[in-house]
Amino acid sequence: MRALGIISFEDSTANIEGLCDHRPVPAIAFMGRYRIIDFILSNMTNSGIGNVQVYAKEKPRNLIEHLGDGKHYNINSKRGKLRILYGEKSFSSDVYNHDVANYMLNMQYIEEDPNPYVVIAPSYFVYQIDFNEVLAQHVESRADVTLLYANAKDAKTSFLGCDVVKMDKFKTVTGFEKNRGNLKSQTISLEAYVMTKKLFIELVKKAAETSSLYWFKDILADSVNELNIKGYQVKGYVACLNSLPEFFRVSMDLIDHKRATQLFKPGWPIYTQTNDSCPTIFAETAKVKNSIVANGSTIEGTVEGSIISRGVTVRKGAVVKNCILLPGAYIGENAKLDHVVVDKYAIVHHVKKLVGTDEQPVYVARRDRI
Amino acid sequence: MRANSMVAMILAGGRGSRLYDLTKKVAKPAVHFGGKYRIIDFPLSNCANSDIQTVGVLTQYESVLLNSYVARDHYWGLDTNDGGVYVLTPRERDDTNLEVYRGTADAITANIDFLDNINPEYVLILSGDHIYKMNYDKMLAYHKQMNADATIAVREVSLKEATRFGIMNTDKNDMIVEFEEKPAHPKSNLASMGIYIFTYKTLRKYLVADAKNPDSNHDFGKDIIPAYLNDKRKLTAYRFRGYWKDVGTVDSLWEANMDLLQDNAELDLGDPTWKIYTEDVNALPQFIGENAKVEHCYVTQGSVIEGSAINSMIGTNVYIGKGAKVVDSVIQPGAKIGEGATVTRCIVADDVEVPAGATCGSKNSNEIQLVAGKVSE
């Protein structure tokens, strides 16, 4: 595919409370064995995009470690390239650290790329898409920009704070507004675009000249009358991981195997970093139901409606219900957890009971000992 | 230590005919074990963990899959600049036609040019079909310390078991004085594990001589070791304590899988200091269904369990349908157990589909049933 892939970062309204204190959204563990970024990056490499730039707003350590040279995402080591890019200067205030500023600071890498098109998408929207089809429609429609959107049927509770795309009957974008949860059905922008690289560079420069606080989506909103922006609907499962309750709800949603398979189509592998863990041990006392389990764990207790990541331990008599246990979490004997997100390597030992709700799951911090 | 001072040669050419249909299309070292591994992952991971950089894998029987598998040396971190995994198959030469490997020693002799190119000080001979974790670097240190010409890894077995193995009779310093293949009346309980370290210069001479001997079986146990002993060469026994299993039969393959389920299993695959590496298959996580029951099992990624699995090994991408019951069994990767089917004391081979409602095996059977090919309803 003749496109440069750009994985952009989300703005600060996306905050998975607690988890984001330790790493950016793309690096958060998801569905037991993945990180959130695996989905959009695999979509790109499966579409045959060989050059990918991943923009990191801050805390790139986790991403660098997870993405490496991109070989495990099937990026060709000679003919492809994965770059993790960030603004190599300090911003006087966080508000100046936006996508446009980072594109400007790395403009040489964008300009040097030989591909005539760009595919831009953030990682906090999770879905399955073949960008070849998007590019084909983009070329055929002669649009300046093709924008990906999804029809949300639960916009009162999900996709809060996301952009709603206004379109005419020809799917030409006429404007944007915020989803404040007023309507059930909304057309949600996935903040993913296909355009020529030339136009992308023009728009980035224009944004920088217009306002030093402009994000890329701001300049796009300003340009709806000058540019022909066409909508492209993404069907199938789409979620936006922009808050802790949404992260929690979506994770719980995907425990259903049928629903999850919408994200994992045959011939469309979702790649991730392997860590060579052994299979998971289910002890004689284990009672596991309705759950997603990754490798390398030891389960002696009861687990229901939960997500068990790699290297987790659930001791005898422990009861874990509706929980997300991140890699390396340890749940001690007889601890009872319901609606709890336990971050990496946290130890739940002395506290024997923790109960949250769908709207407010309890969060246990990374490497915490409680 | 120079990177290539010891080269490992893994003998992986055997069919493993007592595994029947499990080795119909793949060689025994490529047979799956422990849910996600292949048997040859064990010696290869041991090599990588022992800082051995160059590994030759000698293949012959049904080698297409095995050759392409081991050639991906990055799976085991053996893809260093100085080293790598080299697939060594029988070949046609300038002066001879294509000749198959006639025995374990012949397989090495046939690749003397490969070894000469690397010019290692020591050669480690391994078998591609044993399950164990071993630090070959420690064994090499012992070989050097004893100033031996050859060191043979041995483990202590009961005298009753000793009749099934090659037995090393040693003096009080663990120097080998006699080798007996499957003795009726064993004099020692030190069984050879088929793991040898040879000082290459000496070995080379013996291999060349052996190749010219028309009466030889060209086998390490039957010919090379006796020749060393005959010449009063220094052979020493290196005692290995720890888990080791030859998984040459359906029953022993099943047993070795079941050993992993034991509490405080001797073979700890979760030990972060000595991981066993394997192919990354990009499988999904495990999905355990609403009505599932999973007790005393080892389960690996990609499996979907809707029914019940008890005391079993569940491999990669295995599907167990609603109401199905898997007990005391090993389900190899990709197998599907249909709704309501019952599988007891079986090994279900890779990608086999057990139809809904079918019954395989029984809890009273003496032998483990191998379920391969089409299963009738």
Side-chain angles (χ1 to χ4, degrees):
Chain A
M1 193 172 161
R2 296 186 306 141
L4 163 69
I6 291 181
I7 299 184
S8 55
F9 55 74
E10 62 291 338
D11 70 24
S12 51
T13 58
N15 180 18
I16 302 182
E17 296 84 358
L19 292 167
C20 277
D21 294 348
H22 303 282
R23 73 290 270 174
V25 175
I28 291 175
F30 184 56
M31 288 188 76
R33 65 181 304 259
Y34 303 98
R35 308 279 187 118
I36 289 171
I37 196 171
D38 294 339
F39 290 82
I40 196 70
L41 183 49
S42 299
N43 278 332
M44 286 191 179
T45 59
N46 285 336
S47 301
I49 296 177
N51 289 358
V52 181
Q53 301 183 349
V54 177
Y55 283 86
K57 185 182 179 192
E58 54 196 356
K59 305 192 197 95
R61 189 173 66 190
N62 259 299
L63 274 180
I64 291 169
E65 195 180 320
H66 184 68
L67 300 177
D69 63 359
K71 211 171 165 222
H72 47 285
Y73 292 93
N74 209 15
I75 286 179
N76 188 299
S77 59
K78 300 287 179 192
R79 292 170 46 79
K81 183 90 189 162
L82 178 82
R83 282 198 167 94
I84 300 166
L85 298 169
Y86 43 91
E88 282 200 340
K89 63 171 240 183
S90 53
F91 296 93
S92 51
S93 157
D94 188 54
V95 293
Y96 294 113
N97 188 0
H98 45 66
D99 55 355
V100 169
N102 281 273
Y103 300 146
M104 287 300 286
L105 287 165
N106 294 286
M107 188 49 82
Q108 53 176 358
Y109 294 113
I110 299 171
E111 284 176 341
E112 277 168 12
D113 191 87
N115 291 295
Y117 292 98
V118 285
V119 171
I120 306 143
S123 47
Y124 75 132
F125 285 98
V126 175
Y127 50 93
Q128 190 268 340
I129 187 80
D130 184 346
F131 285 114
N132 287 297
E133 288 167 17
V134 185
L135 181 61
Q137 192 201 291
H138 174 78
V139 172
E140 197 191 284
S141 71
R142 300 182 177 215
D144 296 312
V145 177
T146 298
L147 173 151
L148 269 52
Y149 72 91
N151 281 336
K153 291 191 184 69
D154 48 1
K156 276 195 172 176
T157 49
S158 298
F159 303 101
L160 293 176
C162 292
D163 289 336
V164 172
V165 197
K166 294 277 161 203
M167 287 175 287
D168 65 16
K169 61 180 174 183
F170 305 106
K171 289 200 175 180
T172 304
V173 177
T174 56
F176 297 93
E177 57 185 44
K178 280 264 172 265
N179 175 27
R180 303 200 189 284
N182 305 327
L183 288 172
K184 236 178 130 181
S185 279
Q186 292 280 28
T187 45
I188 301 294
S189 165
L190 303 182
E191 295 166 37
Y193 322 103
V194 173
M195 67 192 86
T196 62
K197 203 183 79 180
K198 186 168 166 282
L199 177 62
F200 176 68
I201 292 170
E202 275 172 35
L203 286 170
V204 168
K205 289 182 174 167
K206 192 175 160 195
E209 282 161 18
T210 310
S211 162
S212 50
L213 294 186
Y214 255 31
W215 287 68
F216 189 75
K217 59 183 175 183
D218 295 323
I219 197 69
L220 216 54
D222 276 8
S223 311
V224 285
N225 294 323
E226 297 144 44
L227 296 174
N228 178 13
I229 306 175
K230 285 272 190 226
Y232 180 102
Q233 190 195 341
V234 175
K235 291 169 184 157
Y237 193 86
V238 180
C240 180
L241 305 167
N242 61 353
S243 70
L244 184 64
E246 266 305 275
F247 174 74
F248 187 78
R249 185 192 65 80
V250 172
S251 299
M252 294 295 129
D253 229 17
L254 291 170
I255 290 175
D256 182 273
H257 184 241
K258 264 213 182 99
R259 200 171 292 139
T261 49
Q262 293 186 41
L263 283 176
F264 300 90
K265 297 200 170 159
W268 203 266
I270 304 302
Y271 301 107
T272 190
Q273 174 90 277
T274 174
N275 74 346
D276 301 294
S277 2
C278 62
T280 282
I281 299 165
F282 291 71
E284 240 160 307
T285 48
K287 286 196 172 61
V288 184
K289 271 182 185 172
N290 196 29
S291 293
I292 288 178
V293 182
N295 274 8
S297 296
T298 303
I299 305 177
E300 297 168 353
T302 299
V303 175
E304 281 177 33
S306 295
I307 295 182
I308 310 294
S309 309
R310 285 169 175 164
V312 163
T313 306
V314 178
R315 285 283 175 238
K316 259 183 213 156
V319 180
V320 173
K321 286 186 179 171
N322 313 307
C323 289
I324 301 173
L325 308 185
L326 269 62
Y330 179 96
I331 311 301
E333 278 187 26
N334 301 321
K336 308 267 190 286
L337 276 65
D338 193 354
H339 285 83
V340 182
V341 177
V342 182
D343 206 338
K344 288 173 113 175
Y345 306 109
I347 297 173
V348 178
H349 180 65
H350 297 288
V351 173
K352 291 300 179 201
K353 198 164 183 190
L354 278 172
V355 181
T357 61
D358 280 338
E359 295 73 32
Q360 265 189 317
V362 173
Y363 169 73
V364 179
R366 184 174 71 166
R367 296 193 185 276
D368 221 355
R369 173 186 282 270
I370 63 170
Chain B
M1 189 171 82
R2 218 176 79 83
N4 286 332
S5 88
M6 182 158 81
V7 167
M9 299 289 266
I10 303 182
L11 300 162
R15 170 172 188 167
S17 51
R18 286 171 304 153
L19 286 172
Y20 303 100
D21 280 356
L22 283 172
T23 53
K24 204 169 174 185
K25 281 311 287 176
V26 295
K28 178 168 152 190
V31 168
H32 279 110
F33 172 78
K36 65 178 286 196
Y37 307 94
R38 293 183 191 271
I39 296 168
I40 199 164
D41 288 333
F42 286 79
L44 283 169
S45 300
N46 287 338
C47 284
N49 290 332
S50 304
D51 286 332
I52 292 171
Q53 316 224 353
T54 306
V55 181
V57 180
L58 301 120
T59 66
Q60 181 157 293
Y61 172 78
E62 272 298 349
S63 54
V64 173
L65 187 148
L66 183 59
N67 290 350
S68 55
Y69 183 69
V70 299
R72 299 190 173 182
D73 40 19
H74 64 274
Y75 287 167
W76 306 276
L78 289 165
D79 54 341
T80 55
N81 287 347
D82 296 339
V85 175
Y86 297 83
V87 179
L88 303 167
T89 60
R91 54 191 145 137
E92 196 178 330
R93 297 161 200 272
D94 185 30
D95 53 347
T96 57
N97 291 328
L98 181 66
E99 281 178 349
V100 296
Y101 296 148
R102 295 170 293 171
T104 52
D106 185 53
I108 305 298
T109 313
N111 291 289
I112 263 184
D113 52 349
F114 167 78
L115 286 170
D116 284 348
N117 268 335
I118 297 166
N119 192 25
E121 245 178 284
Y122 307 99
V123 177
L124 169 68
I125 308 290
L126 300 171
S127 162
D129 43 17
H130 296 158
I131 302 292
Y132 65 110
K133 285 181 171 187
M134 182 172 180
N135 189 337
Y136 305 130
D137 199 33
K138 280 190 182 165
M139 181 170 165
L140 177 62
Y142 184 78
H143 177 82
K144 289 180 188 167
Q145 181 202 327
M146 299 299 280
N147 203 14
D149 293 309
T151 299
I152 302 175
V154 296
R155 56 190 196 100
E156 293 170 27
V157 296
S158 69
L159 279 179
K160 197 177 145 211
E161 273 183 296
T163 56
R164 297 195 287 119
F165 292 102
I167 294 299
M168 301 293 161
N169 300 326
T170 56
D171 68 12
K172 61 182 192 312
N173 298 318
D174 271 353
M175 301 306 285
I176 297 164
V177 294
E178 191 186 11
F179 170 73
E180 288 183 289
E181 185 68 34
K182 296 180 183 153
H185 304 286
K187 290 177 224 160
S188 134
N189 68 339
L190 298 179
S192 167
M193 297 163 68
I195 299 168
Y196 313 96
I197 289 178
F198 290 101
T199 303
Y200 180 54
K201 249 190 215 157
T202 323
L203 175 67
R204 197 183 188 289
K205 286 183 204 146
Y206 278 85
L207 289 176
V208 171
D210 176 75
K212 290 181 190 145
N213 179 358
D215 300 326
S216 172
N217 296 301
H218 310 294
D219 184 90
F220 278 105
K222 290 185 190 129
D223 307 290
I224 303 295
I225 300 301
Y228 266 65
L229 285 170
N230 227 7
D231 294 350
K232 303 260 181 296
R233 289 274 176 193
K234 265 182 107 173
L235 268 81
T236 178
Y238 175 74
R239 288 173 191 253
F240 173 76
R241 288 177 189 87
Y243 188 88
W244 179 90
K245 199 148 205 159
D246 179 349
V247 286
T249 63
V250 172
D251 279 12
S252 64
L253 180 65
W254 178 87
E255 264 173 40
N257 273 291
M258 289 298 138
D259 287 343
L260 290 171
L261 297 179
Q262 300 317 310
D263 292 342
N264 309 314
E266 246 190 295
L267 184 69
D268 176 14
L269 297 181
D271 174 8
T273 64
W274 204 271
K275 281 188 182 179
I276 301 301
Y277 311 107
T278 187
E279 176 183 13
D280 177 26
V281 290
N282 278 307
L284 274 62
Q286 307 161 25
F287 285 78
I288 313 294
E290 191 81 56
N291 302 306
K293 186 169 164 188
V294 188
E295 288 171 15
H296 204 226
C297 283
Y298 217 51
V299 186
T300 193
Q301 63 193 35
S303 43
V304 177
I305 305 183
E306 306 275 6
S308 75
I310 293 157
N311 200 37
S312 294
M313 171 68 64
I314 311 297
T316 311
N317 291 330
V318 162
Y319 177 81
I320 299 178
K322 278 199 185 98
K325 223 177 155 194
V326 173
V327 184
D328 300 335
S329 293
V330 175
I331 314 297
Q332 296 285 59
K336 285 190 167 55
I337 314 298
E339 286 186 16
T342 309
V343 175
T344 316
R345 283 176 66 77
C346 289
I347 293 181
V348 178
D350 303 55
D351 303 316
V352 165
E353 282 191 36
V354 175
T359 302
C360 298
S362 111
K363 72 175 174 101
N364 301 318
S365 68
N366 284 326
E367 284 177 353
I368 299 305
Q369 189 182 333
L370 174 63
V371 183
K374 208 169 151 49
V375 181
S376 57
E377 287 178 39

